[in-house]
Amino acid sequence: MKSAPIIITIDGPVASGKTSASRRIAEIHGWAWVSTGAFYRGLAYVAKREAISLDDEDALSKLCASEIWEVRTSSERTKIYLREEDVTAEIYSEEIGAAASLVSRYPKVRENLLAAQRQCAVGVKGLVAEGRDCGTVVFPHAAVKIYLTAGSESRAERRAKEEGKNIEETMNSQQLRDRQDSTRKAAPMQIPAEAHVIDSSSHNLNEVVELINKLVMKELEL
Ligand code: DC
């Protein structure tokens, strides 16, 4: 019988560095990696393309199961395909991030995307999953749970630099998204009970990866 996969979850607010750090941890150990935000970004993007209102919970929850779009994992990016067209390059904007936050507030949508997220752990040796509710809802039995955060200024600076945008505007939209994500009723962003909290404000990516990896190695006795 195959042994159960090792699951590591990394949750946290917008631009806390979870994507880069989680991808590196997966790389170090040769494990699979998934950004669960891509499911919500993909849904929001496809809804826009199909002229489905972001306020229509029923239509959005039906769209979750539609075969017109698909999420595919890879070690670089969690990809979205719409009618076999790779639309990944279009989903990682802040505009789609904001739309993703809107569609993610619906319990039926979350429920309908859950099985596909859990499927990422099937048939793999290990999985590093990042998002908002990975440690609380998607993989509550994860071996190691991390909550990665950073001060709002350093998060805004980081993302504004990446996207060539104004820091203040970026900070405002991030604060709005974090507020929505942490105050919604369904699976709000929160620190999982057993999580190790890491503040990345004064650390570069290598240092954050090292901190997380030490915890992973220690807890898994690797
Ligand atoms: O991590 P991200 O920026 O790609 O996520 C986009 C939005 O998707 C985020 O603002 C809220 C939602 N999301 C969620 O509700 N649960 C997750 N596990 C991941 C993302």
Side-chain angles (χ1 to χ4, degrees), residues 11 14 18 35-38 40-41 92 97 100-101 104 110 117 130-134 138 177 181 184:
D11 291 302
V14 181
K18 355 180 250 310
S35 169
T36 54
Y40 298 97
R41 287 176 178 269
Y92 287 103
S101 175
S104 75
R110 304 198 69 85
Q117 292 173 14
E130 63 98 338
R132 304 291 185 291
D133 65 341
C134 292
V138 189
R177 193 137 75 89
D181 294 344
R184 67 178 178 227

Side-chain angles (χ1 to χ4, degrees), residues 103-172:
V103 302
S104 75
R105 72 200 139 132
Y106 296 122
K108 274 198 261 176
V109 162
R110 304 198 69 85
E111 206 179 297
N112 289 357
L113 293 177
L114 200 52
Q117 292 173 14
R118 289 187 174 148
Q119 191 64 27
C120 297
V122 174
V124 298
K125 205 165 60 153
L127 172 74
V128 186
E130 63 98 338
R132 304 291 185 291
D133 65 341
C134 292
T136 50
V137 175
V138 189
F139 297 112
H141 304 298
V144 182
K145 299 180 185 183
I146 307 287
Y147 187 85
L148 187 59
T149 187
S152 52
E153 272 176 28
S154 67
R155 293 191 288 116
E157 250 170 54
R158 185 178 294 163
R159 195 49 58 84
K161 209 167 166 190
E162 275 168 18
E163 298 196 349
K165 287 196 177 148
N166 172 289
I167 295 184
E168 208 161 290
E169 264 173 44
T170 306
M171 197 184 315
N172 290 340

Side-chain angles (χ1 to χ4, degrees), residues 26-63:
E27 200 177 59
I28 291 169
H29 296 277
W31 294 333
W33 170 75
V34 65
S35 169
T36 54
F39 288 76
Y40 298 97
R41 287 176 178 269
L43 178 69
Y45 175 80
V46 173
K48 285 196 166 194
R49 285 268 301 256
E50 299 293 306
I52 290 171
S53 163
L54 300 187
D55 293 323
D56 190 341
E57 180 172 8
D58 282 338
L60 289 168
S61 50
K62 269 193 204 120
L63 189 60

